[in-house]
Amino acid sequence: MGSASEEAVLGRISAVFGIKGWVKVHSFTDPVENILDYKQWHLLQDGRRQAVTVRESKRHGKGLVVSLKGVDDRDQAQAYCGAEIAVDSAALPALPDGEYYWHQLEGLAVFTTSGIALGQVDHLLETGANDVLVVRATVDSVDDRERLIPYLPDQVVTAIDLAGKRMTVDWDPEF
């Protein structure tokens, strides 16, 4: 069983669905059905991890509903509400050079092209036009501000060094 650092969060259980133990799933994948490519999930909730197996699934409106093996009634399903759905990172398909999964970018230290520390990537937002990096200040940052920086490779994001846990951006620290 992998550790949390070897996992990627692909969604969240948001609510129960019906009386037979089904749950609603908010998928972070694109398209949303891609989360169903992984039948073995790790549910992360309140500092605990639990391996579960997807028994059955179907599209419901804009989201998904899922039946988990061993979960047969509404009360059992309620216990999983709010749990994050993670899979082993090694199970994710390889990406072409220069493309990254969001979980790979989270935690990277962010520096300007002139070497000024802006903070660390906390998470990303999907805005439609382009994704946005949410950069939170650290003790080494130039100030204590949170920054929203467009994730535009080769324009704003000039370099990503996953091994060095560092990202370089062409960004004015005053923004």
Side-chain angles (χ1 to χ4, degrees), residues 159-171:
I160 295 174
D161 177 5
L162 293 180
K165 299 187 180 291
R166 180 182 173 113
M167 176 186 296
T168 305
V169 295
D170 186 3
W171 195 252

Side-chain angles (χ1 to χ4, degrees), residues 13 15-17 20-26 35-36 39 41 52-60 63-69 71 77 85:
I13 294 178
V16 295
F17 179 77
K20 295 185 178 182
W22 286 63
V23 292
K24 291 183 181 181
V25 170
H26 177 75
I35 196 170
L36 301 174
K39 297 299 180 195
W41 291 350
V52 296
T53 302
V54 176
R55 177 173 40 199
E56 195 176 343
S57 62
K58 57 187 171 186
R59 183 81 179 190
H60 182 73
L64 302 168
V65 291
V66 172
S67 172
L68 300 173
K69 187 175 180 181
V71 179
I85 301 165

Side-chain angles (χ1 to χ4, degrees), residues 103-117:
H103 76 274
Q104 293 176 299
L105 302 176
E106 292 170 352
L108 295 184
V110 180
F111 293 86
T112 66
T113 52
S114 58
I116 298 170

Side-chain angles (χ1 to χ4, degrees), residues 105-110 119-124 133-136 167:
L105 302 176
E106 292 170 352
L108 295 184
V110 180
Q120 184 177 49
V121 178
D122 184 69
H123 62 281
L124 287 91
L133 301 161
V134 178
V135 178
R136 295 242 166 98
M167 176 186 296

Side-chain angles (χ1 to χ4, degrees), residues 29-102:
T29 63
D30 184 23
V32 296
E33 293 90 353
N34 281 2
I35 196 170
L36 301 174
D37 291 345
Y38 310 93
K39 297 299 180 195
Q40 183 73 39
W41 291 350
H42 300 145
L43 299 184
L44 312 174
Q45 186 176 31
D46 300 326
R48 295 175 313 210
R49 286 176 86 249
Q50 180 180 354
V52 296
T53 302
V54 176
R55 177 173 40 199
E56 195 176 343
S57 62
K58 57 187 171 186
R59 183 81 179 190
H60 182 73
K62 292 184 178 183
L64 302 168
V65 291
V66 172
S67 172
L68 300 173
K69 187 175 180 181
V71 179
D72 299 311
D73 67 44
R74 186 176 181 88
D75 291 337
Q76 288 176 307
Q78 182 68 42
Y80 295 110
C81 289
E84 291 184 323
I85 301 165
V87 299
D88 289 330
S89 294
L92 298 173
L95 294 175
D97 284 344
E99 290 189 24
Y100 304 93
Y101 287 109
W102 282 13

